[in-house]
Amino acid sequence: MEQVRLRKAAVPQSVFAKILLPFAVPVLLTFALLLVGNHWPRDIAPGSGLKLAGLGASAITALAVWHSAVTRVQAPKARKGAALLCAVTGLMGWPVWCVGVLPSINGAALNSQTTVRMTLERIEVTHASKSRTLYHWAWLKAGRDDSVIGSGRYFISNEIYDRLEKTRPGAVKVTVAEGLLGAQIVRGFN
């Protein structure tokens, strides 16, 4: 009797390269923003992040890449494997969307500014990772529960840090504006 060999369906090699795109796309867009020059404000207030928007952008990118990668693949196991890998690389891209691309998009258009009075708890200085660069922070507490921004650690400039260290005020006025994606952007401290 003659044996009939079943030939396994080959998965195109381009599928494996495309599966990396849910992570590569936000990284490349972030580098493009750095090269072009980012002129929009990006300092997002604590409690007003872009995590949900980043998850949505990551999911849409992963779904689009998966659909593009498996259009010519017929094997169900290969399609499921590609879906799983796209989901993993999409989750890897989620933080890049949240801190790289979306804060720039959010800062592209600002609504009216408001000023929020907050209690200054403390100020501190940290070192950037593997660098001598110093970062200056102010720990602020919201005065009311319905405040447009939350309590937390706010990035401040060296000049503001020096002023707060000298005067040690009990309260700080923070000027914020709502960005294009709804996150509150810190515009200044008084």
Side-chain angles (χ1 to χ4, degrees):
M1 198 172 340
E2 201 175 305
Q3 283 189 349
V4 178
R5 287 189 170 198
L6 294 176
R7 187 175 164 193
K8 289 186 178 181
V11 177
Q13 291 181 356
S14 65
V15 170
F16 299 109
K18 286 181 181 178
I19 287 174
L20 298 175
L21 287 177
F23 177 68
V25 166
V27 170
L28 293 174
L29 287 174
T30 301
F31 282 133
L33 282 171
L34 290 174
L35 292 175
V36 170
N38 189 4
H39 305 290
W40 300 310
R42 296 175 40 91
D43 194 11
I44 296 182
S48 180
L50 295 167
K51 293 175 189 161
L52 188 58
L55 181 61
S58 184
I60 290 168
T61 304
L63 183 63
V65 166
W66 174 79
H67 181 68
S68 170
V70 298
T71 53
R72 296 184 298 171
V73 176
Q74 299 300 322
K77 285 185 178 182
R79 293 173 72 87
K80 286 179 185 177
L84 179 66
L85 291 173
C86 275
V88 168
T89 55
L91 286 175
M92 289 169 50
W94 181 15
V96 182
W97 281 109
C98 293
V99 298
V101 180
L102 293 181
S104 295
I105 294 172
N106 187 58
L110 301 177
N111 292 332
S112 62
Q113 295 185 2
T114 59
T115 302
V116 179
R117 186 176 171 89
M118 302 185 80
T119 304
L120 177 65
E121 293 182 328
R122 69 179 186 272
I123 53 177
E124 70 180 1
V125 177
T126 60
H127 286 277
S129 178
K130 300 178 185 177
S131 171
R132 293 185 181 197
T133 305
L134 296 177
Y135 291 144
H136 300 85
W137 305 94
W139 286 86
L140 302 175
K141 183 176 181 182
R144 300 184 326 234
D145 291 339
D146 62 344
S147 178
V148 294
I149 55 176
S151 301
R153 185 172 79 161
Y154 286 77
F155 181 77
I156 57 175
S157 67
N158 185 26
E159 294 79 25
I160 293 172
Y161 177 84
D162 289 340
R163 182 171 43 106
L164 292 176
E165 189 176 43
K166 287 177 187 173
T167 61
R168 295 284 182 181
V172 175
K173 291 181 182 176
V174 182
T175 304
V176 294
E178 185 177 346
L180 186 63
L181 299 176
Q184 296 291 331
I185 296 175
V186 177
R187 301 290 291 152
F189 297 91
N190 293 328

